Amino acid sequence: MTRVYFVGLDRIYGERYKQILLAFQRSHPADDFLSYCARNIVKNIASNVLNIDPNDIIFSRQKYGKPYIKGYPDFHFNISHTKNAIAIAISDYPVGVDVERIRKVEFKIADRFFASLECQYINPPTTGADQRFFEIWTKKEAYVKWIGKGLVQPLNSFDVTSYELKERIRTEVNDGYIVSVRDIGDLFFC
């Protein structure tokens, strides 16, 4: 079974989040804070699932950068973060996850990275086009992370609206964010 955890950091830390982020950013880029938080969440989950001390967990990366925990080939996870939010997928099988904040989009990006049917699906300037854009974007990111190639796999080389892919990539909208997950097992959003 795959579990997907969505964490809105501003909701967890409240007003303190801005202070924590500012303090961290004095010596690190903003994404480092989100990565740090995500790794710690994965460590805590892995510690409980695998019944090991969190200090014994060693992260490593596959050839194209997909993270894994050394010595535990059946524990699969994937991490994504965007402004103020983290999505983490934990599974018994390979998994890929992506999260994005829904916002205004420059639709010319779709011409470069989306297949023609995906471009038709987002169909700007109709209502909801920005959300549909991020639905496609997060599905594409989740897919390339699932196969372990990341952006080495050109995003326009496959179509997430095709039957084979759209049936295996699940998308949820939560508090202004969109999360997509690609896996091969049962899926449960937490």
Side-chain angles (χ1 to χ4, degrees):
M1 173 182 282
T2 298
R3 291 188 181 271
V4 179
Y5 301 87
F6 173 79
V7 181
L9 295 175
D10 50 347
R11 289 173 57 187
I12 289 174
Y13 294 112
E15 286 301 312
R16 287 184 347 176
Y17 173 69
K18 291 175 187 169
Q19 295 168 343
I20 293 167
L21 184 59
L22 285 173
F24 194 89
Q25 285 179 328
R26 287 187 187 116
S27 59
H28 299 84
D31 278 355
D32 284 358
F33 178 70
L34 296 171
S35 295
Y36 171 80
C37 291
R39 279 192 309 275
N40 282 326
I41 294 168
V42 170
K43 268 191 172 188
N44 287 326
I45 294 169
S47 173
N48 290 327
V49 170
L50 301 171
N51 198 26
I52 59 175
D53 187 303
N55 295 321
D56 294 337
I57 294 174
I58 300 170
F59 290 105
S60 194
R61 294 194 175 271
Q62 296 174 347
K63 179 179 178 180
Y64 295 109
K66 187 172 184 174
Y68 68 94
I69 295 175
K70 282 187 175 182
Y72 295 91
D74 295 328
F75 182 86
H76 299 271
F77 72 94
N78 201 238
I79 297 169
S80 180
H81 51 76
T82 189
K83 183 178 181 178
N84 300 337
I86 298 169
I88 298 170
I90 306 289
S91 185
D92 301 329
Y93 305 98
V95 64
V97 66
D98 191 51
V99 62
E100 290 289 341
R101 185 175 52 83
I102 300 169
R103 58 193 182 276
K104 284 302 224 185
V105 173
E106 177 56 56
F107 287 97
K108 291 178 184 176
I109 295 169
D111 294 336
R112 183 171 172 205
F113 294 107
F114 291 4
S116 62
L117 290 176
E118 294 167 338
C119 288
Q120 289 175 24
Y121 174 72
I122 63 170
N123 193 21
T126 61
T127 303
D130 293 319
Q131 181 171 319
R132 287 192 305 277
F133 173 90
F134 284 109
E135 175 190 346
I136 296 297
W137 186 268
T138 58
K139 285 180 175 184
K140 287 181 155 305
E141 288 269 353
Y143 177 75
V144 297
K145 291 168 84 176
W146 174 73
I147 62 173
K149 289 193 173 180
L151 295 178
V152 170
Q153 176 76 36
L155 292 178
N156 61 1
S157 68
F158 59 95
D159 181 350
V160 296
T161 65
S162 70
Y163 178 77
E164 313 82 59
L165 293 181
K166 82 176 183 180
E167 294 299 312
R168 297 305 307 163
I169 303 174
R170 178 129 168 246
T171 300
E172 295 277 332
V173 177
N174 187 329
D175 201 23
Y177 293 88
I178 191 160
V179 180
S180 291
V181 181
R182 171 60 169 105
D183 76 332
I184 58 174
D186 294 327
L187 188 60
F188 180 70
F189 276 84
C190 303

